[in-house]
Amino acid sequence: NAGVTQTPKFQVLKTGQSMTLQCAQDMNHEYMSWYRQDPGMGLRLIHYSVGAGITDQGEVPNGYNVSRSTTEDFPLRLLSAAPSQTSVYFCASRGGGPDYEQYFGPGTRLTVT
Amino acid sequence: AQKITQTQPGMFVQEKEAVTLDCTYDTSDPSYGLFWYKQPSSGEMIFLIYQGSYDQQNATEGRYSLNFQKARKSANLVISASQLGDSAMYFCAMRGSGGGGADGLTFGKGTHLIIQP
């Protein structure tokens, strides 16, 4: 199993550009989520999905869109990049009940200039 | 709303000593789970240990144990016999009961642990 994979690993965007961060998991997990990590802030939840076709907003959703057309994939779209979106982005997935651990991808380091 | 507080931004500990990393939480959920993750300088998030709010016993995983005091709303991580490889950021996190279909973890700001030889 590859676990949770994210592409790209690094990305530099100019203000106003759009892009999609890719996330895929091969563990047949129903639950997937996106987090951003800023220095001194810990990880904050952007969007999550509890199954294919079902998504919802987390703590910091503004400027981001998600969709979940398959169980495996959960892409995060930046609509019009801003310097405030410079961060490290983590995708995560988990199975079953509330006690199941989150499996994290390796992260994408995004810089917006 | 859920909140996790980690009051120790940084800690220096001598190798082989035990370490306690503090975590307090606040939630209105009747059922919840508490997690600890380790993030080394390479950046990946590594799951360490889980404690459910209704678990009768404190969780243990090898050198890691979770000192869960529900009445005080604390979930401190204890690392026994620290090693140089334990140097990393440590995050406490919480998941609620999933009411209303909600999911995802709420994280604290982390503690930067440095183990000195």
Side-chain angles (χ1 to χ4, degrees):
Chain A
N1 283 354
V4 181
T5 57
Q6 291 182 238
T7 56
K9 284 191 169 57
F10 302 93
Q11 183 70 49
V12 179
L13 289 179
K14 293 187 187 310
T15 297
Q17 287 184 319
S18 63
M19 80 159 295
T20 299
L21 306 185
Q22 300 292 344
C23 174
Q25 53 92 7
D26 61 0
M27 297 172 281
N28 202 31
H29 285 167
E30 288 298 314
Y31 298 83
M32 296 186 75
S33 48
W34 276 101
Y35 299 83
R36 60 177 289 173
Q37 183 178 25
D38 302 307
M41 293 294 292
L43 279 74
R44 291 183 292 170
L45 182 66
I46 305 172
H47 284 284
Y48 64 90
S49 169
V50 300
I54 307 170
T55 64
D56 207 344
Q57 297 179 351
E59 181 187 353
V60 288
N62 291 344
Y64 307 95
N65 270 0
V66 292
S67 60
R68 183 97 179 272
S69 56
T70 67
T71 299
E72 294 77 21
D73 300 299
F74 191 42
L76 178 73
R77 297 182 189 84
L78 279 71
L79 308 172
S80 178
S84 61
Q85 293 179 303
T86 294
S87 189
V88 179
Y89 291 85
F90 287 97
C91 178
S93 76
R94 72 174 183 91
D99 58 338
Y100 280 54
E101 68 174 275
Q102 296 267 34
Y103 291 83
F104 283 86
T108 294
R109 186 174 294 274
L110 175 68
T111 302
V112 183
T113 61
Chain B
Q2 299 173 339
K3 185 175 181 181
I4 295 284
T5 302
Q6 295 181 253
T7 57
Q8 305 153 308
M11 287 184 72
F12 288 87
V13 172
Q14 213 64 26
E15 190 180 8
K16 297 190 177 67
E17 289 183 351
V19 182
T20 297
L21 304 181
D22 294 339
C23 172
T24 58
Y25 61 91
D26 193 21
T27 182
S28 56
D29 275 329
S31 173
Y32 49 89
L34 295 153
F35 300 77
W36 277 92
Y37 283 85
K38 173 183 178 181
Q39 186 178 44
S41 58
S42 51
E44 70 266 34
M45 296 292 289
I46 301 168
F47 167 75
L48 295 178
I49 196 166
Y50 165 82
Q51 178 82 45
S53 59
Y54 287 107
D55 292 342
Q56 294 296 314
Q57 292 190 320
N58 286 346
T60 60
E61 289 286 349
R63 293 188 299 115
Y64 304 107
S65 60
L66 201 152
N67 184 2
F68 180 49
Q69 298 187 46
K70 193 171 182 178
R72 298 180 61 183
K73 293 190 174 181
S74 75
N76 297 342
L77 177 71
V78 179
I79 306 174
S80 64
S82 58
Q83 303 170 356
L84 296 178
D86 294 332
S87 294
M89 284 291 293
Y90 287 81
F91 291 98
C92 180
M94 166 188 286
R95 177 184 296 132
S97 57
D103 196 60
L105 294 174
T106 299
F107 282 82
K109 294 186 178 182
T111 295
H112 189 194
L113 175 65
I114 297 174
I115 307 298
Q116 297 175 310

